[in-house]
Amino acid sequence: MSPTPPLWEPSRAFKDQSNLKHYIDWLFVKKGLFFRDYHDLWEWSVTDVEDLWESIWHYFDLKSHDTYFEVLRKSDDDMIGTKWFTRATLNYAEHIFRQKTKDRPALLFQSERQPLTEISWAELEKDVAAVATWFRKRGVQPGDRVAAVLPNIPQAVVAFLATNAVGAVWSSCSPDFGEASILDRFAQIEPKVLIVADGYQYNGRSYDKTAGFRQLLSQLPSVKLPVLVPYLNADAQMEGTVSWNDVLHSPTIGLDFEAVPFDHPIWVLYSSGTTGKPKAITHGVGGCLLEHLKALSLHQNVKPGDRYFWYSTTGWMMWNYALASLLTGATLVVYDGAPAFPTLNVLWTLAEKAGINHFGGGAAYFIACRKANLSLPSERLKHLISVGSTGSPLTPDAYTWIYQSVRKDVWLISLSGGTDVCSAFVGGNPLLPVYAGEIQCRMLGCKLEAFDDNGRPVVDQLGEMVILEPMPSMPLFFWNDPGDERYRHSYFENYPGVWRHGDWIKITPRGSVVIFGRSDATLNRGGIRIGTAEVYSAVESLPEIRDSLVVYLEYEDGTGDMPLFVVLKEEGSLTDELRQRIVSALRSQFSPRHVPDRIEQISEVPYTISGKKLEAPVKKILMGHDSARVASRDTMRNPEALDVFVTMAAKARV
C-alpha cells in the first residue's frame, strides 16, 4: 500500500462514543463475543449471518406483533426466495413514530419557493393519521399500491408513512420524469391510488404538469383514488381528483399501524430504464427496516437529535434511504429545487441555517463544487459531522477538496450500493480512517468480494463485485416477473448462486474499497481492464475540463477504438496543446493503456436523471445500435446530449 497518510482519522472520543462501538460492547456483554478490530467483526458478520441479523433485531429492539420462528431459511436456488424472520409481523412506519418527541422537529423543509420551516412530530403524526384514515375508509388494503408523482416535499413523506401505516405498497417518481417514463413504471404495478402534484419548480422556473397528469390518469385504469397536491398553485384543481387538502381535513380516528409479514412489500423502486422497460424492484418491510437501522445507525453514526440531509428527488432510492434517518431519532431535512440555483452555495447555506450534522449528495455535485473552486468558511458549518457521497465514484481530488474547502475535521462517507438493495454494500465506518479515493469498509452482513476472471476472490487487484451471502434487503421479486426470470438474469447469470452487481472494484489490503465504474462500461483494452473512474479522475483534474466520457468500442475484426469525449469550461476550444496535457496526465497518473485513441470535444455528457453518465448506451450507439432501443430519453436529465453521438454513428456508417 502507498504510505499516503489518511485525510481523516477518528479521535479516541469519537470512536468510543460511536454507535458502532456501543454495538460491539453490547455483543461482548450480551453474547460473549470479542473482536480485536472491525475486520474481525466483519468476518463474523458474514460467516455467522443468522447471528448477525438476529443481533441487529435485538440491539435495536424491533417491535414484532408476532414472534419470529426462524431467522434465515436459505433458498435452494441462488439467493432468490431466501426467507428471513419467518412468522414475524411488524410495521416500518410504526418504528419511525417510536421516535416522536416534543423536544425536536420531525422535519425541516426548504425549497426554491419556501424558506426554511419546521414540522413537528405532532403535526406529522396528525397528517399521516388523516391520510391513513382516508385510505382505510376508501378500501385501501394491505398489498394495494399507492403511486406518487411528487417533488421532494413534506407531503411525499406524509403520503409514504400513511401508505406504510395501512400496509399498502409505495412507489414514487419525480415529476421531472416524462409521462411515458412514469407510465412505463406505474403500469407494471397497477396502482389503486395515484397522488400527483400540479407541477414543480427547478432552477427558478415553474413547470405545470396538470395536462400530462390528466393523460397519465387516463392510461392507468387501475387507479380508483386520484389525489392532487396543490404545490405551484394553492388553488390548483384537476377534474376527477380529490384535493390533498380535503384528504387532510377529513375526519380522523387516530394513527394505527397494520402489522404485516416481514417479507410483505414496502415499496417498488425502478432501475434506470435507460435500456428497455425499467425493472420494478420490490423490497420487503422487515428487510429494509433491519438494513436501514444497521446502515444509518452503525455505519453513519446517526443519533437521536442529529439533523440528516441527503439531496435527492423522490425518484431516486436515496430519498427512501434518507427518510430512514427518522428511524434513528434524527430530524430529516428536506429540500426541493436545483442544487446550484441560484448558486452552488445554496445547499451549503441550507446546511448552515438548518444546523445539518450529516450532509449528503451525489458525487457529481461535490465534483462540480471542486471544479468551481467553491470555498466555504468552516465556521459556517460548525454543526457538520459527516459529508456523504454516492451515485458514482468520488474522485480523489473531490475527497481532497472536501477536506480543504469544507472542513478539515469532517468525516467523509462515500457509499456504494444501489436501488437493488435500497442501501449500501460498502460505506462509512466511525472507527476507521479515510483515504483519498477509498470507501472505508465493506458493511456488516455484506459478504462482498472482488472476483478475478476465474471467479476467485482477489485482494489488491481489479475484479468484479460480487455478494456471496444473502442480505435481508435484497429484492423480494421484480413485479410482473414470472418465474423470476428478469431477477435471475440481472444478478445471477454469470455466477450461479452468487450476486454479480456490475461494478468493477478493488479491495485494498487494509479492507477499504475502490470502485472503478460499471463493469459493463469497463474499458477492456488489449485484455487489460481499465475502470472509467480512473480516466475521469485524471482528465477532470485539468482546470480546462468540465466533464468527460470515455468508452471502448470492440469491432468484429478484433480491433478496437477508445475515444475520449471532453466538455470544456466556458467557451474553450480543444487545442493540440490541451490534448497533449490530457495524454500526459493519463500516462503519468496511470499508464499508457489509459491514453485514448482520440479526443473529441462535445457540449455536454449525457446523464440519467439520478446523475449517472450513460457510458454503455453511448458505446452501443457508436457501435451502430438504434439509439431509441439503447436509451430512454424520458429517463435522462439532458436527452439532447445523445444527438451528437447519433450523428457520429451515422457519419461512420456512410
Side-chain angles (χ1 to χ4, degrees):
M1 291 298 299
S2 165
T4 304
L7 295 169
W8 175 85
E9 287 191 85
S11 67
R12 171 55 61 187
F14 191 85
K15 292 180 186 179
D16 288 346
Q17 294 166 16
S18 69
N19 294 334
L20 184 55
K21 176 64 164 59
H22 186 272
Y23 170 67
I24 292 170
D25 292 344
W26 181 89
L27 286 173
F28 179 71
V29 172
K30 297 291 185 180
K31 306 287 185 181
L33 296 169
F34 173 76
F35 304 102
R36 293 171 299 174
D37 52 27
Y38 178 77
H39 183 72
D40 268 7
L41 176 65
W42 180 81
E43 285 284 358
W44 165 77
S45 80
V46 297
T47 303
D48 297 330
V49 177
E50 290 184 51
D51 290 348
L52 174 274
W53 291 109
E54 189 170 36
S55 77
I56 296 292
W57 177 289
H58 291 297
Y59 178 74
F60 288 105
D61 188 27
L62 262 63
K63 180 180 179 180
S64 180
H65 295 259
D66 293 282
T67 306
Y68 61 83
F69 176 65
E70 56 186 338
V71 174
L72 173 61
R73 187 194 306 157
K74 287 191 175 181
S75 167
D76 295 331
D77 183 14
D78 43 57
M79 298 179 193
I80 300 173
T82 298
K83 297 290 185 182
W84 296 90
F85 294 92
T86 54
R87 297 187 188 174
T89 57
L90 35 65
N91 187 281
Y92 190 100
E94 183 175 19
H95 284 80
I96 283 178
F97 278 99
R98 290 170 82 185
Q99 301 295 336
K100 69 178 181 180
T101 176
K102 296 179 180 178
D103 297 335
R104 55 184 177 269
L107 306 176
L108 293 173
F109 174 60
Q110 182 178 312
S111 72
E112 292 184 9
R113 304 172 57 83
Q114 183 174 326
L116 189 65
T117 56
E118 291 189 358
I119 296 167
S120 69
W121 277 99
E123 186 179 352
L124 180 65
E125 184 175 32
K126 174 177 171 290
D127 287 353
V128 171
V131 178
T133 301
W134 189 86
F135 282 164
R136 284 192 172 103
K137 285 184 175 179
R138 281 149 188 83
V140 178
Q141 299 177 352
D144 287 342
R145 276 75 67 203
V146 176
V149 189
L150 295 171
N152 187 16
I153 54 179
Q155 292 92 325
V157 177
V158 169
F160 161 71
L161 292 172
T163 297
N164 187 259
V166 304
V169 184
W170 173 259
S171 192
S172 61
C173 285
S174 175
D176 55 354
F177 280 32
E179 277 73 39
S181 179
I182 297 171
L183 185 64
D184 278 348
R185 288 158 170 74
F186 291 167
Q188 297 184 63
I189 65 170
E190 299 178 301
K192 186 172 190 174
V193 182
L194 179 65
I195 306 172
V196 299
D198 60 326
Y200 67 99
Q201 183 162 317
Y202 192 86
N203 261 336
R205 181 182 169 190
S206 295
Y207 297 84
D208 187 292
K209 298 288 287 186
T210 51
F213 290 155
R214 283 193 196 95
Q215 182 181 356
L216 181 66
L217 263 175
S218 70
Q219 295 175 299
L220 288 172
S222 63
V223 174
K224 308 303 180 190
L225 300 170
V227 178
L228 178 69
V229 176
Y231 182 55
L232 294 183
N233 178 3
D235 300 319
Q237 295 181 347
M238 198 165 81
E239 187 178 352
T241 66
V242 177
S243 170
W244 176 261
N245 296 327
D246 291 341
V247 173
L248 290 182
H249 290 98
S250 57
T252 303
I253 57 174
L255 181 54
D256 295 319
F257 301 99
E258 186 77 25
V260 296
F262 187 92
D263 60 358
H264 184 83
I266 182 171
W267 48 52
V268 181
L269 305 178
Y270 303 92
S271 61
S272 61
T274 50
T275 57
K277 194 176 287 291
K279 297 185 285 284
I281 301 170
T282 309
H283 295 112
V285 170
C288 286
L289 179 60
L290 275 178
E291 175 61 36
H292 288 163
L293 283 167
K294 179 208 75 177
L296 273 296
S297 181
L298 303 185
H299 286 278
Q300 285 194 257
N301 205 36
V302 184
K303 299 181 178 183
D306 283 354
R307 295 188 170 190
Y308 189 93
F309 168 78
W310 205 288
Y311 179 79
S312 180
T313 72
T314 58
W316 188 21
M317 54 79 48
M318 289 307 298
W319 183 84
N320 308 65
Y321 183 86
L323 192 144
S325 64
L326 294 169
L327 291 168
T328 70
T331 293
L332 174 63
V333 182
V334 177
Y335 182 78
D336 179 50
F341 177 82
T343 71
L344 266 175
N345 259 315
V346 65
L347 296 183
W348 298 110
T349 301
L350 171 66
E352 178 187 11
K353 288 194 299 181
I356 290 172
N357 305 112
H358 306 278
F359 178 99
Y365 173 71
F366 298 113
I367 292 169
C369 290
R370 180 193 69 79
K371 286 184 166 296
N373 295 317
L374 194 63
S375 184
L376 305 161
S378 59
E379 64 271 13
R380 288 177 47 193
L381 300 172
K382 59 185 178 183
H383 301 285
L384 202 59
I385 297 169
S386 73
V387 171
S389 172
T390 194
S392 58
L394 189 65
T395 62
D397 281 351
Y399 274 70
T400 303
W401 173 81
I402 286 169
Y403 282 97
Q404 289 177 344
S405 301
V406 179
R407 279 186 69 121
K408 63 181 180 181
D409 59 346
V410 79
W411 173 26
L412 175 55
I413 302 173
S414 182
L415 300 173
S416 184
T419 302
D420 321 80
V421 291
C422 199
S423 185
F425 298 120
V426 293
N429 192 311
L431 308 180
L432 298 176
V434 172
Y435 292 87
E438 299 179 18
I439 299 174
Q440 285 178 287
C441 71
R442 292 174 281 186
M443 289 172 67
L444 294 176
C446 179
K447 191 168 186 179
L448 179 147
E449 300 287 355
F451 268 12
D452 66 13
D453 289 342
N454 297 312
R456 295 176 301 201
V458 292
V459 174
D460 213 21
Q461 296 180 39
L462 294 183
E464 187 83 56
M465 181 198 287
V466 295
I467 314 295
L468 303 182
E469 291 287 346
M471 296 170 61
S473 67
M474 285 177 172
L476 301 173
F477 50 82
F478 290 178
W479 210 277
N480 267 341
D481 180 27
D484 293 315
E485 289 185 16
R486 295 189 80 193
Y487 189 174
R488 189 164 286 107
H489 172 75
S490 296
Y491 309 111
F492 300 105
E493 200 165 66
N494 293 67
Y495 310 104
V498 173
W499 174 296
R500 171 188 172 271
H501 192 62
D503 280 333
W504 198 237
I505 68 166
K506 179 174 71 175
I507 299 170
T508 74
R510 56 172 158 249
S512 61
V513 178
V514 182
I515 297 186
F516 294 89
R518 297 293 295 170
S519 55
D520 59 3
T522 298
L523 313 172
N524 193 349
R525 206 174 193 201
I528 304 298
R529 290 190 176 98
I530 299 168
T532 55
E534 290 181 321
V535 175
Y536 301 145
S537 67
V539 173
E540 294 172 21
S541 67
L542 297 174
E544 296 90 343
I545 307 296
R546 183 189 301 278
D547 206 352
S548 62
L549 184 138
V550 65
V551 294
Y552 187 77
L553 313 175
E554 303 101 344
Y555 301 121
E556 292 181 1
D557 62 2
T559 61
D561 176 33
M562 189 169 115
L564 170 68
F565 304 98
V566 296
V567 180
L568 302 189
K569 288 186 177 178
E570 307 305 332
E571 297 179 358
S573 60
L574 184 59
T575 62
D576 289 341
E577 186 270 337
L578 180 54
R579 281 191 174 92
Q580 188 54 50
R581 281 197 288 123
I582 292 171
V583 167
S584 297
L586 287 164
R587 193 184 299 272
S588 62
Q589 292 182 40
F590 294 104
S591 78
R593 291 186 182 275
H594 288 72
V595 175
D597 293 306
R598 53 194 168 95
I599 306 173
E600 299 189 28
Q601 183 175 353
I602 57 174
S603 59
E604 56 181 333
V605 169
Y607 279 91
T608 65
I609 287 175
S610 59
K612 291 181 170 54
K613 297 183 183 185
L614 268 70
E615 296 162 323
V618 166
K619 173 179 176 176
K620 291 177 180 177
I621 289 169
L622 292 176
M623 292 184 69
H625 294 263
D626 181 359
S627 64
R629 291 181 176 273
V630 303
S632 170
R633 294 184 178 236
D634 278 341
T635 64
M636 292 180 61
R637 179 196 299 169
N638 53 346
E640 66 284 350
L642 281 181
D643 295 341
V644 65
F645 300 104
V646 174
T647 301
M648 287 180 192
K651 288 181 179 177
R653 289 194 294 269
V654 174

